[in-house]
Amino acid sequence: MHNPYPPRGASPPLGELYQRRVVMEAMTIASSTAKVPIAEIISKGRKRARAAFARQLAMYLSHVGGKLSLGEVATEFERDRTTVAHACHAIEDRRDCPVFDAQIDYLEGALALRITMIVE
């Protein structure tokens, strides 16, 4: 069986379909966690703080858990790379809270499991 994760520091072999699947799985997890429809996560608007948080979470999971580059995540979310970087920093800043950190660890594990199912 092929391991979907490369050694730390190496880039995984990525294709556009793989990127889309990783982002879709990250959005599904973020949607469920924040109780926000995926349509609001994808939305260009900034109507609700909960939707913005869910979008940031999905971007973070795609980048950190999904091992996608900031540029790849930006492309999939149709945002600028700096927007993705800001989202990742926003989530990282909140990880000082042990409860939030544990929740993010759990979500990263859930995404890893889903990615394993994608590549098998």
Side-chain angles (χ1 to χ4, degrees):
M1 209 58 65
H2 178 268
N3 182 356
Y5 291 110
R8 283 235 184 256
S11 295
L14 298 177
E16 287 182 31
L17 180 58
Y18 176 82
Q19 287 175 207
R20 283 193 192 106
R21 291 291 309 271
V22 168
V23 169
M24 192 64 214
E25 295 299 337
M27 283 194 292
T28 301
I29 290 169
S31 171
S32 175
T33 300
K35 298 185 179 18
V36 172
I38 290 178
E40 285 189 40
I41 293 173
I42 296 169
S43 165
K44 295 284 187 188
R46 302 178 188 188
K47 294 179 185 174
R48 294 178 33 197
R50 186 181 292 172
F53 170 75
R55 185 178 310 112
Q56 288 175 337
L57 179 58
M59 289 178 179
Y60 176 86
L61 290 172
S62 297
H63 175 60
V64 175
K67 312 279 193 249
L68 300 181
S69 72
L70 294 175
E72 290 165 338
V73 176
T75 298
E76 294 301 322
F77 279 88
E78 296 181 357
R79 300 294 202 283
D80 189 78
R81 187 188 62 76
T82 58
T83 302
V84 178
H86 172 77
C88 292
H89 289 299
I91 298 297
E92 280 293 334
D93 288 346
R94 294 180 68 177
R95 291 194 77 164
D96 290 338
C97 170
V99 173
F100 186 79
D101 186 53
Q103 291 170 333
I104 297 300
D105 280 343
Y106 176 82
L107 296 177
E108 287 176 2
L111 181 60
L113 181 61
R114 289 175 182 229
I115 290 172
T116 300
M117 289 189 269
I118 290 172
V119 296
E120 288 183 353

